[in-house]
Amino acid sequence: MVRSSDAPGSLHSLTRVISSHGANIAYVDIADRADGYSTVHFELDDVMQADNLMEDLRSLGEVRLVEQLPSFFKIFGKRIIVVGGGAQVGQVVIGAVAEADRHNIRGEKISVDTIPLVGEENLSHAVRAVSRLPRAVALVLAGSLMGGEVAEAVYEIRRKGIVVLSLNMPGSVTEAADLVVTDPVQCGVMAVMAVADTARFDINRQRGQRY
Amino acid sequence: MVRSSDAPGSLHSLTRVISSHGANIAYVDIADRADGYSTVHFELDDVMQADNLMEDLRSLGEVRLVEQLPSFFKIFGKRIIVVGGGAQVGQVVIGAVAEADRHNIRGEKISVDTIPLVGEENLSHAVRAVSRLPRAVALVLAGSLMGGEVAEAVYEIRRKGIVVLSLNMPGSVTEAADLVVTDPVQCGVMAVMAVADTARFDINRQRGQRY
């Protein structure tokens, strides 16, 4: 974690130090922009001497603070995203959170993220964005009518490796999804089972099924 | 969005082009690492000529694709994070998602993210990480016993501007939180009201209250 001045060229200075140490940036984000400073989080591969790297970052004029922290992946783990109408999203999350709890107690880290949304445009943007979200592995479509551009977006993110579950509903997304589940609580549970290393559930054997 | 080779120095090349255009990097993340490539998302302030900037990025040897996409903030908006035990997290989310739905229909963008967790160490890491998560504005502590290091973490993130609500429970977090609400569904609703621009709820007038 590096707190440095929020100005053009600031990230460029940090990455110069990191690449001069031969480290690869596996993850980066910027948060907490205030008072002319922002906080940059790096997750680095192939760091030979972490202490030297941190010391070199500290020596930059624009840097105020450098700290080593646990990675987001270790804390929040894999993300399942639930989008759709508030009534259904709430029920899917009840199932997903209860199931994630059981796996997280055994050492998994699965978090469940939601956004209640309406409208084909909002929904298709949200679906497409899932493949760009850090740590996202599965999507649940929790609505009562979804098709058209949303179904196109589902095909796109499936090609990028995201597992997609859908409630049973009118519209073409049920054709596009990996798996269709009618009961929203069970749908949330199955989404977690599909991504948990601690579960004996093989999405490849369930693909195209409807429950 | 830039798809470029996943190698040391790659981000450094991208930021050189961006800073040469005088643009400030407001947000950045890396996702979708596969086949020797990764996808970097930038949100940039003070871009004078977006087309020229994109063209200069495309001319880099390590870059395969450059596209302009809607920002995560426009799609997923503010984030409320709910942490704790599965039983309570599920009920808080029912309230939060139903209330977020009502505000999102009126033009807000509020998403509700959860992670079911146990243990003081896991919980205090998760609480501290909330202030580092992009777009996070509020935290709900949804458990039945939290104190010690978790309460310390609550004080820290409140100083960084995160609003913290807690269920009523044994342990010192109820002293540390901005607001304590006994009913988990109402607690989720109030968390959304506290951060929605479309709500008439002033957290400053509720600070220290218990319901």
Side-chain angles (χ1 to χ4, degrees), chain B residues 128 131 149 151-162:
Chain B
R128 286 202 171 89
S131 70
E149 198 53 34
E152 288 308 309
V154 168
Y155 287 118
E156 281 178 36
I157 67 166
R158 281 186 57 193
R159 280 194 293 272
K160 293 181 179 174
I162 304 288

Side-chain angles (χ1 to χ4, degrees), chain A residues 6-7 12 15-16 24-26 28-31 33 41 45 70 79 86 91 94 101 104 111-114 116 132, chain B residues 6-7 12 15-16 24-26 28-30 33 41 45 70 79 86 91 94 101 104 111-114 116 132:
Chain A
D6 185 9
H12 190 56
T15 56
R16 183 175 54 242
N24 191 22
I25 300 170
V28 59
D29 76 59
I30 299 184
R33 302 175 75 200
H41 306 104
D45 292 336
R79 298 167 75 183
Q91 295 305 309
I94 286 278
D101 205 23
N104 291 354
S111 44
V112 184
D113 297 352
T114 75
R132 306 192 272 128
Chain B
D6 185 10
H12 190 56
T15 55
R16 182 175 56 241
N24 191 21
I25 300 170
V28 60
D29 76 59
I30 298 184
R33 302 176 74 199
H41 306 104
D45 292 336
R79 298 167 75 184
Q91 295 304 309
I94 287 277
D101 205 23
N104 291 355
S111 44
V112 184
D113 298 352
T114 74
R132 306 192 269 130

Side-chain angles (χ1 to χ4, degrees), chain A residues 24-203:
Chain A
N24 191 22
I25 300 170
Y27 175 79
V28 59
D29 76 59
I30 299 184
D32 202 10
R33 302 175 75 200
D35 310 324
Y37 283 83
S38 62
T39 302
V40 187
H41 306 104
F42 293 104
E43 296 185 15
L44 304 177
D45 292 336
D46 307 322
V47 177
M48 313 252 246
Q49 299 207 289
D51 289 345
N52 290 0
L53 173 53
M54 287 170 68
E55 215 37 61
D56 287 352
L57 287 169
R58 279 190 197 102
S59 71
L60 293 173
E62 55 265 65
V63 169
R64 206 166 67 171
L65 184 69
V66 181
E67 278 181 12
Q68 221 172 337
L69 296 170
S71 81
F72 283 130
F73 192 82
K74 280 198 188 134
I75 295 172
F76 293 107
K78 302 168 189 163
R79 298 167 75 183
I80 295 172
I81 316 291
V82 186
V83 299
Q88 288 104 325
V89 169
Q91 295 305 309
V92 169
V93 175
I94 286 278
V97 164
E99 183 69 11
D101 205 23
R102 301 171 74 214
H103 293 280
N104 291 354
I105 282 169
R106 286 179 282 171
E108 260 285 4
K109 282 284 167 62
I110 296 173
S111 44
V112 184
D113 297 352
T114 75
I115 179 161
L117 279 177
V118 287
E120 188 172 336
E121 194 189 343
N122 277 337
L123 277 166
S124 59
H125 280 319
V127 169
R128 286 202 171 89
V130 168
S131 69
R132 306 192 272 128
L133 282 177
R135 300 176 287 106
V137 291
L139 169 69
V140 181
L141 298 163
S144 298
L145 173 63
M146 296 185 190
E149 198 53 34
V150 183
E152 287 308 310
V154 167
Y155 287 117
E156 281 177 37
I157 67 166
R158 281 186 57 193
R159 280 195 294 271
K160 293 181 179 173
I162 304 288
V163 173
V164 181
L165 286 81
S166 173
L167 296 185
N168 198 6
M169 69 173 97
S172 52
V173 291
T174 56
E175 293 301 321
D178 288 284
L179 176 61
V180 176
V181 183
T182 303
D183 169 37
V185 175
Q186 190 181 56
C187 190
V189 170
M190 284 198 190
V192 172
M193 289 165 69
V195 304
D197 293 331
T198 39
R200 288 165 183 270
F201 180 93
D202 185 353
I203 185 71

Side-chain angles (χ1 to χ4, degrees), chain B:
Chain B
M1 184 274 274
V2 185
R3 185 97 181 134
S4 70
S5 62
D6 185 10
S10 181
L11 185 63
H12 190 56
S13 305
L14 303 181
T15 55
R16 182 175 56 241
V17 172
I18 291 165
S19 67
S20 76
H21 279 258
N24 191 21
I25 300 170
Y27 175 79
V28 60
D29 76 59
I30 298 184
D32 201 11
R33 302 176 74 199
D35 310 323
Y37 284 83
S38 62
T39 302
V40 187
H41 306 104
F42 293 104
E43 296 185 14
L44 304 176
D45 292 336
D46 308 323
V47 177
M48 315 254 243
Q49 300 207 289
D51 289 345
N52 290 1
L53 173 52
M54 287 169 68
E55 215 37 62
D56 287 351
L57 288 169
R58 278 190 199 101
S59 70
L60 294 173
E62 54 264 65
V63 169
R64 207 165 67 169
L65 184 68
V66 181
E67 278 180 13
Q68 221 172 338
L69 296 170
S71 80
F72 283 130
F73 193 82
K74 279 197 187 133
I75 296 173
F76 292 107
K78 302 166 189 163
R79 298 167 75 184
I80 295 171
I81 317 292
V82 186
V83 299
Q88 288 105 325
V89 169
Q91 295 304 309
V92 169
V93 175
I94 287 277
V97 164
E99 183 69 11
D101 205 23
R102 301 172 72 215
H103 294 280
N104 291 355
I105 282 169
R106 287 179 282 172
E108 260 284 3
K109 282 283 167 62
I110 296 173
S111 44
V112 184
D113 298 352
T114 74
I115 179 160
L117 280 178
V118 286
E120 188 173 337
E121 193 188 343
N122 278 337
L123 277 166
S124 60
H125 280 319
V127 168
R128 286 202 171 89
V130 168
S131 70
R132 306 192 269 130
L133 282 176
R135 301 178 286 105
V137 291
L139 169 70
V140 181
L141 298 164
S144 297
L145 174 62
M146 296 185 189
E149 198 53 34
V150 183
E152 288 308 309
V154 168
Y155 287 118
E156 281 178 36
I157 67 166
R158 281 186 57 193
R159 280 194 293 272
K160 293 181 179 174
I162 304 288
V163 173
V164 181
L165 285 81
S166 173
L167 296 185
N168 198 6
M169 68 174 95
S172 52
V173 291
T174 57
E175 293 300 320
D178 288 286
L179 177 61
V180 176
V181 183
T182 303
D183 170 37
V185 175
Q186 190 181 55
C187 190
V189 170
M190 284 198 190
V192 173
M193 290 165 69
V195 305
D197 293 331
T198 39
R200 290 165 181 271
F201 180 93
D202 185 353
I203 186 70
N204 296 311
R205 294 179 62 173
Q206 297 298 331
R207 199 153 275 140
Q209 295 293 318
R210 292 186 177 226
Y211 293 96

